[in-house]
């Protein structure tokens, strides 16, 4: 299990120490968050990963001020979310996993409504351009496709120029081109100084955007690192693979892939079929990490 300092001192974007939250039914108590420690720096893009039921949504709802905790210390932009007032809420932006409100308003009307809640909102035309809705300003929410509705959700989250933006599965329903456009927008927001907390099941998205990645499972943070360093990826053995003259796939694990490729080239004049050098992807590492954690829990 990963452990980081639980001391809350200076003002960072998010500080969490010893956070717990349980849900009780008539027959059982389920710990959704179990002693979570987490710190996110101002200006950082942080991706929180974990399987369904790992505690991500509960933890984020506590940070957003929508759910009370059982115990622990939490500050978001220097304020306890349970005590956050309208001024504090104006400093954060939230893109929920799914929304069904404002279906009878047009895109422009929805954005204008949300813009009225903030002291210095972005111009509506700028938001339309940022989220790729310039061609759909007068469509009602109920008329938008799933992908376009998701773009509107993102627009509603950024219209207030938030200092901290919560993004919960933001690109669900996006086609590849829309996802790339979204990634570019996120980089632009970071350049403006916006801190971003992202949850996603797209591991390539976390790898492309995040400065750091945290993996949560069973309510605990089990790993925290850069996308490249998570789970020892940066120092993991490489695999050199190719097909030999008989068409058989040959795979060689090595710490010195360049040397292996040189040796193969010297021993095999001409082209080596399907020659590739690969290291574990973030997805490979994440899935292995979650699998090992689940096995460990089953043995306890």
């Amino acid at each position: 299990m990963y452990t980081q300092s639980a001391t809350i001192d200076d003002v960072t974007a998010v500080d969490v120490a010893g956070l717990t939250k349980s849900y009780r039914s008539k027959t059982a108590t389920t710990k959704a968050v179990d002693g979570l420690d987490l710190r996110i720096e101002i200006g950082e893009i942080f991706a929180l990963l974990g399987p369904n039921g790992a505690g991500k949504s509960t933890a984020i709802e506590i940070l957003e001020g929508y759910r009370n905790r059982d115990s622990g210390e939490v500050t978001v932009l220097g304020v306890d979310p349970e005590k956050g007032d309208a001024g504090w809420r104006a400093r954060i932006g939230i893109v929920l996993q799914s929304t069904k409100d404002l279906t009878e308003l047009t895109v422009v009307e929805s954005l204008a409504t949300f813009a009225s809640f903030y002291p210095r909102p972005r111009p509506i035309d700028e938001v339309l351009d940022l989220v790729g809705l310039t061609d759909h300003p007068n469509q009602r929410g109920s008329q938008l496709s799933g992908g376009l509705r998701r773009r509107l959700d993102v627009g509603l989250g950024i219209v207030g120029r938030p200092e901290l933006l919560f993004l919960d599965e933001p690109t669900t329903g996006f086609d590849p081109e829309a996802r790339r456009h979204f990634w570019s927008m996120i980089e632009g927001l970071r350049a403006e100084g916006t801190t971003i907390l992202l949850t996603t099941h797209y591991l390539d998205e976390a790898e492309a955007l995040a400065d750091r990645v945290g993996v949560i499972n069973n309510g605990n943070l089990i790993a925290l690192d850069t996308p490249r360093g998570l789970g020892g990826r940066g120092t993991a053995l490489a695999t050199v693979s190719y097909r030999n003259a008989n068409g058989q796939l040959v795979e060689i694990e090595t710490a010195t892939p360049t040397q292996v490729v040189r040796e193969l080239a010297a021993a095999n004049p001409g082209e080596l079929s399907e020659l590739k050098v690969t290291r574990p992807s973030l997805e490979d590492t994440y899935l292995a990490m979650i699998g090992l954690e689940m096995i460990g829990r089953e043995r306890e």
Side-chain angles (χ1 to χ4, degrees):
M1 182 187 303
Y2 176 84
T3 302
Q4 68 177 45
S5 171
T7 301
I8 295 179
D9 43 29
D10 53 358
V11 176
T12 54
V14 173
D15 272 310
V16 177
L19 177 63
T20 69
K21 178 66 180 180
S22 296
Y23 298 108
R24 297 168 181 84
S25 67
K26 292 181 179 179
T27 58
T29 298
T30 302
K31 275 194 173 181
V33 183
D34 187 13
L36 179 67
D37 296 336
L38 179 65
R39 170 170 288 190
I40 300 173
E41 302 298 332
I42 290 174
E44 183 176 22
I45 298 178
F46 187 94
L48 188 61
L49 309 178
N52 292 332
K56 297 192 308 296
S57 295
T58 295
I60 289 174
E61 287 170 0
I62 290 170
L63 298 181
E64 294 169 342
Y66 286 125
R67 192 175 297 278
N68 292 339
R69 60 192 182 270
D70 293 337
S71 64
E73 296 179 77
V74 180
T75 61
V76 175
L77 298 178
V79 175
D80 183 337
E82 291 185 15
K83 301 174 182 177
D85 58 12
W88 175 78
R89 291 197 173 278
R91 299 169 64 197
I92 67 173
I94 299 173
V95 178
L96 299 173
Q97 204 170 109
S98 62
T99 56
K100 297 180 180 178
D101 57 345
L102 305 177
T103 55
E104 295 310 308
L105 296 181
T106 67
V107 168
V108 166
E109 289 170 344
S110 294
L111 291 171
T113 298
F114 270 62
S116 69
F117 302 151
Y118 299 96
R120 53 181 195 92
R122 291 180 184 274
I124 302 302
D125 288 346
E126 180 181 326
V127 177
L128 290 172
D129 181 58
L130 282 171
V131 300
L133 286 175
T134 303
D135 295 334
H136 307 275
N138 298 314
Q139 277 191 263
R140 297 185 185 278
S142 58
Q143 298 172 329
L144 296 174
S145 67
L148 291 178
R149 173 63 218 222
R150 200 65 187 133
R151 295 188 192 199
L152 176 57
D153 292 339
V154 174
L156 297 176
I158 68 171
V159 70
R161 300 184 192 271
E163 297 173 42
L164 172 61
L165 178 61
F166 293 93
L167 295 171
D168 194 359
E169 305 290 340
T171 59
T172 300
F174 280 16
D175 60 36
E177 181 180 359
R179 287 183 70 212
R180 294 289 177 173
H181 179 90
F182 172 82
W183 293 359
S184 177
M185 182 198 74
I186 292 302
E187 292 289 358
L189 292 175
R190 191 249 291 276
E192 295 177 0
T194 306
T195 305
I196 295 164
L197 174 53
L198 166 76
T199 69
T200 180
H201 286 300
Y202 298 120
L203 278 296
D204 61 329
E205 188 161 273
E207 187 153 27
L209 294 175
D211 299 303
R212 289 188 303 151
V213 173
V215 180
I216 188 172
N217 200 21
N218 296 300
N220 282 294
L221 195 69
I222 62 172
L224 176 65
D225 209 327
T226 63
R228 179 173 175 77
L230 192 72
R233 284 183 67 209
T235 57
L237 294 177
T239 299
V240 178
S241 61
Y242 67 99
R243 290 198 180 275
N244 62 21
N246 298 321
Q248 297 172 314
L249 182 64
V250 179
E251 294 183 332
I252 304 169
E253 281 196 335
T254 176
T256 56
T258 302
Q259 179 180 334
V260 169
V261 170
R262 285 174 179 155
E263 292 171 353
L264 287 171
N268 298 272
E271 293 293 320
L272 282 169
S273 178
E274 299 181 26
L275 176 65
K276 290 191 295 185
V277 178
T278 58
R279 292 189 187 273
S281 68
L282 180 59
E283 183 171 359
D284 294 334
T285 302
Y286 165 78
L287 291 174
M289 191 175 293
I290 294 299
L292 289 172
E293 174 75 5
M294 292 179 68
I295 291 171
R297 291 281 176 172
E298 289 171 358
R299 290 175 176 172
E300 290 178 357

